Amino acid sequence: MSNAETLLDVSGLTKHFPIKGGFPISRTVGAVRAVDGLDFQVREGESLGLVGESGCGKSTTGRLITRLLEPTGGKVVYRGQDITHAGRKALAPIRSEIQMIFQDPYASLNPRQTVGKIIAGPMEINDINPAGGRENRVRELLEIVGLSPEHFNRFPHEFSGGQRQRIGVARALALEPKLIVADEPVSALDVSIQAQVVNLLQKVQQELGIAFVFIAHDLAVVRHFSQRVAVMYLGKIMEIADRDDLYDNPRHPYTRALLSAVPEATVEDTPRERIRLVGDVPSPINPPSGCRFRTRCWKATEKCASEAPPLVQVEGNKAGHLTACHYPETDDVPSPRLTKSPRAAA
Amino acid sequence: MTPPTPSAAAPLEVTDESVVKSPTPTTNQGSESRSPGRLAWKRFKRDRAGVISACIVLFFFVIALAAPLIAKLYGKDPYTTYASQRPELLDAFSYPAGPNGGMSSEFWFGIEPQLGRDVFTFLLYGIRTSLGIAVAATLLTALLGIVIGITAGYLGGKTDYFVGRVIDILLSFPSTLFFIAFMPVIYGLFVAPDENIPTWLRAISLIIVLAGFGWASLARLLRGQVLGLREREFVEAAKVTGASPRRIVFKELLPNLWTPIIIQSTLMLPAFVTAEAGLAFLGVGMIDPTPDWGVMIQRGAQFYTEDITFMLFPGLSMVLFVLAFNLLGDSVRDALDPKSKR
Ligand SMILES: Nc1ncnc2c1ncn2[C@@H]1O[C@H](COP(=O)(O)OP(=O)(O)OP(=O)(O)O)[C@@H](O)[C@H]1O
Ligand code: SF4
Ligand SMILES: [Mg+2]
């Protein structure tokens, strides 16, 4: 899949939310640097996982790609077309190709519309008239996502969270998109239902060949779903690699810490020591100088504070495995200040 | 980010509680859909007080609409001074000669003191005028509130700031006082001080003034709701598929705002009825000889020490109407927004 055409090319993407303040005339007094220079590509039919703790800018990234938000800087190129600052009219033809699945299955469906209307809405807006009529297509979509076509006339409040998320998936599929941005599509669901929805998305991805940007806050969900994984921290990508490279050979301390939090059962190789990240994510209003992870990194040195590590293919990485760290992890040399918790606690 | 303003009526909660809880739709239920509207109607029908109030309110609207027909069948009108042709109807002090304010099989509700008009038709037409003005004012207020509130909430930024300040100013006015002061000014805009003010002008001015001050609270409520809804993911979902702002406002936002709009309007209408009557009572609204609820009460206040009957009919009917409408408003709110029930 690695030689497929690049669908989405993001470079230097930034989003700073201005902070207004001051009295009586409000002015900009600062900025939330929610996304601060991202570079990544998504190839056709590929699923890219975007992982990071809460508040690190994952949703903002998703909204920038779907152009719900206007980027402050950088470039978003979709199939060779620069859509960074495209207006609603200019975006119109692309709208049907990039769709989104939202985190909250309760807020993402209009409570006053029937399921049929919700799913037919995108077709109506884009004036698409499938053979056999829109209603037929909606029934078809309902079947694809595992709901009964008879649910056509029902309202969202008559469904469970998992079912609603399936409706959201059906809506995203209605326009036969090439790329779907899924913003934590299962994190609001019961654990027992999460797997079902992930399986559905997987089926959709494989059978329809749709590329995904799959946002999640832990590495466990993404592992089954994504061919490539990017780890984000405070608006920047810390490490990006093919799935197996990342899980088997994490080079960034943060990736390592996240991986150690994944339940043992899903990690087949030798049990790792559990790394507890201490402290909170610093504020994106005033991120740490140099490496953003340094305030919580057990290997931080002077250099980390003064010099931001570039996202590069460090020594020992396979092609396409990029890491932003001055002192990448290696398996055989355990880091000096690594805090090991007793095995019993793991 | 602007936090969604919590407001009196949460429009989004479409809950089932109090209506038989059904399991997930996979169970066989036929294809009957339970739309939020239908659920609300179901809840409303189970509310006794609400249904009774609705009947009373409906009754008032029917007689107001049918006033000319009823008057025709009854054979009298509200303008004729029956006592001038038949002086025996009034006594030497110009009070109704008969007992109970002159109530008889001919004059069902008696005769007006002094002028000797028929109370029954006067009241019928009075209700007609008052309700007409109140309904028109409510519709205009709702329209203004909806347009201004949604625009401010959806556009945000400078528009929102400007509208917000106007609303603040309007809501800080002592409106009753302002009505009294302002009505003559409005009349003065259209007619010279020494001319007679035509009835239609009075009615239009009343509607404009009531709506001019009334829209602010609805607009503020809707603005808050829109600010909250705008950030909802279903609006973003519509945007992602390329929906125009027009479509978002009409198809995504507005259907979620009908609940607060209806609730606010049902509270507004009886308030307008009393306000209109109050202005007539104070002599700046409708005036004699236009039949009007407020005018009647004002006339009644002049002779209630001698003839309480004349005061009784407009007074009681208005209390009944306003009470029923307010109860109806409560029931409508409970039905549309069951979470608000205490
Ligand atoms: N509209 C906005 N205005 C100002 N700040 C914002 C806005 N949206 C997001 N932020 C800030 O940007 C940062 C990143 O937010 P974002 O929602 O992208 O995080 P996230 O990674 O999706 O987190 P979560 O896992 O909690 O969803 C946060 O600090 C957030 O407070
Ligand atoms: S650059 Fe330094 S602070 Fe940042 S992750 Fe690497 S070692 Fe830690
Ligand atoms: Mg998020």
Side-chain angles (χ1 to χ4, degrees):
Chain A
M1 202 136 358
S2 60
N3 44 15
E5 200 193 325
T6 303
L7 198 61
L8 184 78
D9 189 348
V10 172
S11 50
L13 188 65
T14 48
K15 178 69 189 178
H16 294 180
F17 293 105
I19 304 167
K20 301 273 187 201
F23 184 84
I25 298 152
S26 79
R27 64 210 142 79
T28 306
V29 294
V32 180
R33 303 161 70 140
V35 171
D36 215 8
L38 296 188
D39 300 277
F40 62 86
Q41 283 88 36
V42 182
R43 291 184 216 109
E44 253 173 30
E46 176 192 60
S47 164
L48 173 76
L50 198 57
V51 178
E53 280 169 284
S54 184
C56 68
K58 306 178 302 284
S59 296
T60 308
T61 308
R63 286 176 160 75
L64 287 169
I65 299 170
T66 50
R67 284 303 323 281
L68 283 168
L69 288 172
E70 182 89 19
T72 315
K75 252 173 126 178
V76 181
V77 177
Y78 176 78
R79 293 227 275 177
Q81 194 183 343
D82 188 343
I83 58 166
T84 320
H85 300 289
R88 196 174 73 81
K89 291 259 155 59
L91 277 174
I94 290 175
R95 278 293 183 212
S96 60
E97 301 193 4
I98 308 178
Q99 283 299 301
M100 191 154 181
I101 297 170
F102 295 87
Q103 174 170 3
D104 182 352
Y106 290 85
S108 62
L109 305 178
N110 192 335
R112 303 280 158 167
Q113 287 179 358
T114 59
V115 170
K117 261 197 175 153
I118 289 173
I119 300 175
M123 291 186 257
E124 227 172 79
I125 292 166
N126 290 281
D127 205 21
I128 292 171
N129 294 296
R134 285 186 192 141
E135 191 176 324
N136 252 340
R137 174 78 180 131
V138 171
R139 289 178 196 279
E140 216 176 280
L141 285 164
L142 281 172
E143 230 158 53
I144 290 176
V145 300
L147 292 173
S148 154
E150 299 314 307
H151 291 165
F152 186 84
N153 266 326
R154 295 186 183 280
F155 285 83
H157 68 94
E158 301 176 63
F159 293 88
S160 68
Q163 288 175 317
R164 285 175 187 224
Q165 204 55 302
R166 287 171 191 269
I167 299 170
V169 174
R171 170 175 58 193
L173 293 179
L175 295 175
E176 300 177 6
K178 291 200 159 47
L179 173 68
I180 291 181
V181 176
D183 187 359
E184 306 201 26
V186 296
S187 59
L189 303 178
D190 268 9
V191 181
S192 56
I193 297 163
Q194 286 191 355
Q196 294 174 14
V197 175
V198 170
N199 288 343
L200 166 68
L201 290 174
Q202 204 152 20
K203 187 187 96 179
V204 161
Q205 196 227 339
Q206 282 161 3
E207 286 176 10
L208 305 175
I210 299 171
F212 267 78
V213 172
F214 191 100
I215 299 172
H217 59 250
D218 67 71
L219 282 163
V221 178
V222 161
R223 185 180 178 108
H224 300 283
F225 193 75
S226 298
Q227 287 92 54
R228 274 172 75 72
V229 178
V231 176
M232 259 183 102
Y233 186 77
L234 270 186
K236 278 196 178 295
I237 291 179
M238 296 284 116
E239 185 158 26
I240 181 168
D242 288 348
R243 173 188 40 201
D244 295 336
D245 286 345
L246 191 96
Y247 284 82
D248 296 343
N249 186 22
R251 304 303 305 277
H252 198 283
Y254 183 56
T255 313
R256 197 118 195 223
L258 286 182
L259 269 179
S260 79
V262 172
E264 297 279 335
T266 63
V267 182
E268 298 89 358
D269 51 15
T270 47
R272 287 172 224 265
E273 65 286 345
R274 191 173 170 83
I275 303 165
R276 282 230 179 79
L277 283 176
V278 283
D280 289 327
V281 185
S283 156
I285 298 169
N286 200 358
S289 65
C291 175
R292 300 203 164 186
F293 186 55
R294 73 177 164 82
T295 54
R296 297 165 83 193
C297 182
W298 53 93
K299 294 161 76 180
T301 63
E302 293 285 297
K303 189 183 178 193
C304 302
S306 57
E307 216 181 293
L311 184 66
V312 291
Q313 184 180 343
V314 296
E315 214 187 301
N317 279 3
K318 288 194 188 142
H321 183 163
L322 310 179
T323 308
C325 178
H326 293 307
Y327 310 107
E329 297 270 298
T330 44
D331 264 342
D332 25 272
V333 188
S335 39
R337 285 165 56 202
L338 185 70
T339 48
K340 280 187 194 177
S341 57
R343 290 286 312 135
Chain B
M1 244 191 351
T2 335
T5 324
S7 57
L12 280 169
E13 306 318 329
V14 186
T15 36
D16 261 16
E17 18 168 325
S18 85
V19 173
V20 208
K21 191 89 189 161
S22 88
T24 44
T26 19
T27 53
N28 187 18
Q29 272 194 9
S31 59
E32 180 218 4
S33 90
R34 304 188 309 144
S35 77
R38 196 176 292 199
L39 285 177
W41 175 238
K42 232 172 168 175
R43 278 192 292 264
F44 181 78
K45 275 195 300 194
R46 310 233 258 72
D47 183 349
R48 266 269 192 73
V51 172
I52 295 173
S53 322
C55 291
I56 295 174
V57 167
L58 202 66
F59 169 76
F60 273 93
F61 277 104
V62 168
I63 59 167
L65 279 175
L69 185 71
I70 299 172
K72 200 163 179 195
L73 294 174
Y74 173 68
K76 301 207 174 42
D77 67 74
Y79 300 100
T80 313
T81 51
Y82 293 97
S84 50
Q85 297 131 35
R86 293 156 59 185
E88 74 277 6
L89 288 173
L90 297 179
D91 64 16
F93 307 99
S94 293
Y95 285 105
N100 298 325
M103 277 161 73
S104 64
S105 57
E106 197 187 355
F107 299 97
W108 292 356
F109 286 5
I111 300 165
E112 187 201 20
Q114 287 180 342
L115 296 178
R117 290 178 291 197
D118 173 56
V119 177
F120 179 68
T121 46
F122 202 83
L123 183 62
L124 272 185
Y125 275 82
I127 292 173
R128 186 180 163 90
T129 317
S130 293
L131 286 191
I133 289 173
V135 167
T138 306
L139 290 178
L140 186 60
T141 308
L143 187 70
L144 284 174
I146 291 169
V147 170
I148 297 173
I150 292 181
T151 311
Y154 190 74
L155 292 181
K158 290 220 164 58
T159 323
D160 184 32
Y161 181 84
F162 178 71
V163 171
R165 296 299 80 73
V166 173
I167 291 175
D168 285 344
I169 293 170
L170 273 181
L171 288 180
S172 62
F173 263 99
S175 52
T176 326
L177 216 63
F178 210 74
F179 290 153
I180 301 166
F182 232 66
M183 287 307 298
V185 178
I186 297 218
Y187 297 145
L189 288 178
F190 296 101
V191 245
D194 48 345
E195 272 179 74
N196 267 339
I197 305 161
T199 307
W200 63 264
L201 179 60
R202 283 183 180 274
I204 301 272
S205 310
L206 272 170
I207 292 166
I208 289 173
V209 168
L210 288 175
F213 281 89
W215 64 267
S217 58
L218 179 63
R220 178 142 89 176
L221 177 73
L222 294 182
R223 169 196 168 265
Q225 302 276 0
V226 171
L227 280 182
L229 287 173
R230 199 174 65 161
E231 309 284 328
R232 284 269 182 150
E233 286 175 345
F234 68 80
V235 175
E236 297 201 314
K239 278 188 191 156
V240 166
T241 52
S244 61
R246 221 182 99 96
R247 186 185 158 98
I248 289 171
V249 167
F250 286 101
K251 290 263 166 80
E252 306 287 338
L253 297 181
L254 203 54
N256 285 291
L257 294 171
W258 284 123
T259 300
I261 292 171
I262 292 171
I263 292 173
Q264 284 295 100
S265 304
T266 53
L267 297 175
M268 211 142 63
L269 198 137
F272 281 159
V273 168
T274 44
E276 192 269 342
L279 291 178
F281 187 87
L282 295 166
V284 288
M286 295 317 241
I287 51 165
D288 215 19
T290 310
D292 179 275
W293 237 335
V295 169
M296 266 187 109
I297 291 174
Q298 184 239 1
R299 297 265 310 153
Q302 292 170 18
F303 357 89
Y304 75 95
T305 43
E306 305 296 330
D307 179 16
I308 188 76
T309 340
F310 183 72
M311 181 76 167
L312 223 50
F313 288 109
L316 281 182
S317 60
M318 184 182 281
V319 169
L320 183 65
F321 176 78
V322 172
L323 187 68
F325 214 113
N326 280 325
L327 288 176
L328 173 68
D330 282 348
S331 300
V332 167
R333 194 196 53 216
D334 289 347
L336 288 175
D337 183 14
K339 289 246 168 85
S340 68
K341 219 189 251 173
R342 296 144 310 261

